[in-house]
Amino acid sequence: MSGVSLNGITKAYGQLEVVHGIDLEVQEKEFVVLVGPSGCGKSTTLRMIAGLEEITDGDLSIDGRYVNQVAPKDRDVAMVFQNYALYPHLNVADNIAFGLRIRRTPKAEIESQVKEVGGILGLTEYLERRPADLSGGQRQRVAMGRAIVRQPKVFLFDEPLSNLDAKLRTQMRAEIKRLHKRLGVTSIYVTHDQVEAMTLADRIVVMHDGRIEQVGTPMDLFLNPANTFVAGFLGSPPMNMVDAKIVAGETGPIAEFDGNRLQLAKLPSLENAVGTEVILGIRPEFVTVAAKDEGGNVPVDVDLIETLGSEALIHASLQGAPFVIRTETVGQMDILDGISGFNIEPHLIRVFDKATGQALPGQVLEQ
Ligand SMILES: Nc1ncnc2c1ncn2[C@@H]1O[C@H](COP(=O)(O)OP(=O)(O)O)[C@@H](O)[C@H]1O
Ligand SMILES: [Mg+2]
């Protein structure tokens, strides 16, 4: 039962509170990703779990044990950082074995562990090399090897891939995922990269200004963002936001803006919001494009079309703000040439209260 439980976890540096009472239950074997913009408190939260940072207030339990006062080395967690500090004078095998030697693990066991972990990480041929003779990806694997041999209850990762180039990052991301499938160790992973969060996580925790905005599976957060912050943070390109007012129509609630009308879903919360200002969240992927002179569409000013092969990104503007459409190219090249507007099905429009930024209740998109 090696879960991690955060209860009202708070961090203040002097008078300045930077993490404001986080509640989170990480289940055994779960891979949870904390994601959010730089400075939102991800590393501080992770470091409090690791014991590298004192907890100002709240309770932390690992594997059912209250560990607020427990020293880092006795928490049974292993951390992998962005700046993996390998010992330059030790070879790969000795770097991996370092933590075991400190713990006075018997020599034979160290050898078999290093061999096994080296094999898992594809480092078998490199065990005799020094860090200076390894690529960035191999070094990062050694750093992970050091964490794995300790057989911790929990892995903590703080932006471990940030120093790698794009190609290597994608490759290592898949390796971390495979490793988690194989070892099944409870993992908490911090990143500012929403693509990493979407691809790695069983559940994503979106943080902002020292608070949790939303917790859920990647698809649930993508389809049902609780507020405009999450809507704008997850997805690439991000969700388009359009200011509108809800009016009553014969066929249910209508969103009205700049003389345009878009039918909304017939939900009680939207019907009750007639007369209020809202923000429409429109995913670039959820719209259908329309050629010139087709009626009933919202016109946009197309600025640039990027053709990516099977898909195209249409950069346009609406209400003077960027509006992006992502669409398939197959069978649509003629439309793309003369695109002048879009349409979207009512249930695919996400409606947020303009004053609070929160999604109006009852809107659920199933996967
Ligand atoms: N030792 C410190 N003293 C004072 N403020 C700090 C310290 N460490 C971090 N902070 C502040 O705490 C906030 C959260 O930082 P951090 O957890 O590193 O964010 P993230 O990892 O999400 O980028 C930031 O505003 C940062 O400036
Ligand atoms: Mg950080």
Side-chain angles (χ1 to χ4, degrees):
M1 211 269 323
S2 38
V4 179
S5 170
L6 285 72
N7 252 305
I9 291 293
T10 301
K11 179 71 191 180
Y13 292 105
Q15 295 294 317
L16 181 68
E17 194 175 286
V18 296
V19 175
H20 313 290
I22 295 226
D23 297 316
L24 180 67
E25 294 289 333
V26 179
Q27 307 300 322
E28 179 176 15
K29 298 189 178 189
E30 201 178 15
F31 199 113
V32 165
V33 177
L34 308 185
V35 69
S38 176
C40 72
K42 306 179 296 290
S43 293
T44 305
T45 303
L46 200 71
R47 291 169 60 81
M48 285 192 280
I49 298 170
L52 302 173
E53 206 67 75
E54 204 175 309
I55 296 169
T56 308
D57 203 2
D59 298 333
L60 174 70
S61 302
I62 296 175
D63 202 12
R65 177 168 74 125
Y66 173 78
V67 293
N68 277 48
Q69 318 298 342
V70 175
K73 65 177 176 47
D74 299 323
R75 289 192 186 192
D76 220 352
V77 302
M79 188 144 164
V80 181
F81 300 91
Q82 172 181 347
N83 298 311
Y84 32 87
L86 301 179
Y87 299 102
H89 57 287
L90 297 182
N91 67 21
V92 168
D94 291 336
N95 262 289
I96 292 177
F98 194 83
L100 297 179
R101 294 236 161 81
I102 287 183
R103 281 172 186 72
R104 295 169 198 259
T105 310
K107 200 168 171 228
E109 196 187 324
I110 292 182
E111 269 172 26
S112 84
Q113 283 256 31
V114 167
K115 206 170 153 202
E116 189 187 337
V117 170
I120 291 174
L121 293 169
L123 289 169
T124 304
E125 298 160 50
Y126 306 99
L127 292 174
E128 303 299 321
R129 286 203 198 172
R130 299 263 169 101
D133 303 323
L134 299 174
S135 70
Q138 289 165 339
R139 275 181 227 159
Q140 186 55 283
R141 263 178 241 152
V142 178
M144 282 198 275
R146 247 177 14 189
I148 294 169
V149 285
R150 293 178 45 196
Q151 300 183 306
K153 289 204 177 97
V154 181
F155 281 134
L156 304 174
F157 298 92
D158 193 352
E159 312 237 8
L161 308 183
S162 296
N163 283 347
L164 306 179
D165 65 43
K167 189 175 167 212
L168 202 51
R169 207 155 57 220
T170 313
Q171 197 182 324
M172 289 298 289
R173 195 172 75 204
E175 281 186 25
I176 290 176
K177 185 88 184 163
R178 259 181 236 120
L179 203 63
H180 179 254
K181 274 198 167 149
R182 175 165 178 172
L183 302 175
V185 177
T186 310
S187 300
I188 306 177
Y189 186 106
V190 160
T191 180
H192 66 275
D193 179 345
Q194 56 98 11
V195 178
E196 249 171 58
M198 291 292 286
T199 50
L200 280 171
D202 292 325
R203 279 191 308 154
I204 294 178
V205 178
V206 180
M207 289 183 65
H208 179 214
D209 282 348
R211 290 194 172 79
I212 292 180
E213 293 280 352
Q214 193 176 4
V215 181
T217 64
M219 275 315 275
D220 192 32
L221 263 51
F222 178 76
L223 294 172
N224 300 299
N227 52 50
T228 49
F229 180 82
V230 176
F233 194 78
L234 295 179
S236 68
M239 203 179 234
N240 298 295
M241 306 281 179
V242 178
D243 286 323
K245 184 173 180 175
I246 301 190
V247 298
E250 280 171 15
T251 49
I254 306 270
E256 216 173 52
F257 57 97
D258 308 338
N260 300 296
R261 288 165 70 85
L262 274 175
Q263 179 72 54
L264 298 176
K266 277 194 216 169
L267 291 170
S269 66
L270 303 191
E271 282 168 338
N272 291 338
V274 165
T276 65
E277 305 276 332
V278 293
I279 296 171
L280 308 178
I282 298 179
R283 285 260 175 236
E285 300 84 356
F286 289 175
V287 303
T288 48
V289 290
K292 273 195 181 60
D293 310 324
E294 274 182 52
N297 295 299
V298 176
V300 289
D301 291 323
V302 176
D303 169 40
L304 173 75
I305 298 183
E306 290 179 302
T307 311
L308 310 166
S310 64
E311 287 190 335
L313 284 182
I314 298 160
H315 298 270
S317 66
L318 185 67
Q319 297 177 333
F323 189 94
V324 179
I325 295 169
R326 184 172 190 156
T327 188
E328 297 195 350
T329 51
V330 180
Q332 291 212 107
M333 286 313 280
D334 51 334
I335 298 181
L336 291 183
D337 271 345
I339 177 181
S340 66
F342 72 87
N343 216 326
I344 179 164
E345 285 184 47
H347 75 285
L348 295 176
I349 301 173
R350 194 144 182 94
V351 184
F352 302 96
D353 182 306
K354 183 159 187 187
T356 64
Q358 298 297 310
L360 297 190
Q363 310 180 76
V364 182
L365 263 190
E366 303 281 350
Q367 223 165 295

